[in-house]
């Protein structure tokens, strides 16, 4: 990035897809919990996690949790 902007400056204007990926203990959950507090409550948020750890408080939260494959895939 050429410019560093405070989270409060870009988060309200960001729309669409945000993907956060990283290793164990990398701060992903902390980052997403903070960023989610800046998302308007009328926006729908979909999360996909290996184990449900996020603590989002929005009304339109759709959480998905992965599971091991079985005979159906």
């Amino acid at each position: 990035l050429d410019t560093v902007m405070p989270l409060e400056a870009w988060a309200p204007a960001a729309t669409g897809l945000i993907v956060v990926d990283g290793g164990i203990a990398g701060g992903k959950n902390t980052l997403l919990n903070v960023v989610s507090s800046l998302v308007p409550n009328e926006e729908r948020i979909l999360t996909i996690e290996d184990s449900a750890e996020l603590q989002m408080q929005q009304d339109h939260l759709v959480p998905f949790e992965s599971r091991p494959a079985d005979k159906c895939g």
Side-chain angles (χ1 to χ4, degrees):
L1 293 172
D2 294 334
T3 305
V4 176
M5 293 174 42
L7 182 62
E8 296 84 6
W10 65 263
T15 59
L17 178 67
I18 298 173
V19 176
V20 177
D21 182 38
I24 297 172
K28 299 175 300 292
N29 289 336
T30 301
L31 173 68
L32 286 171
N33 284 327
V34 170
V35 169
S36 74
S37 70
L38 302 172
V39 175
N41 196 42
E42 62 271 4
E43 294 290 330
R44 179 173 293 163
I45 299 175
L46 288 94
T47 62
I48 304 171
E49 303 178 77
D50 284 331
S51 58
E53 298 175 345
L54 294 172
Q55 303 296 316
M56 297 182 177
Q57 303 300 314
Q58 281 77 8
D59 292 334
H60 299 287
L61 177 64
V62 183
F64 292 95
E65 189 172 357
S66 65
R67 60 173 175 76
D70 61 11
K71 65 180 181 178
C72 296

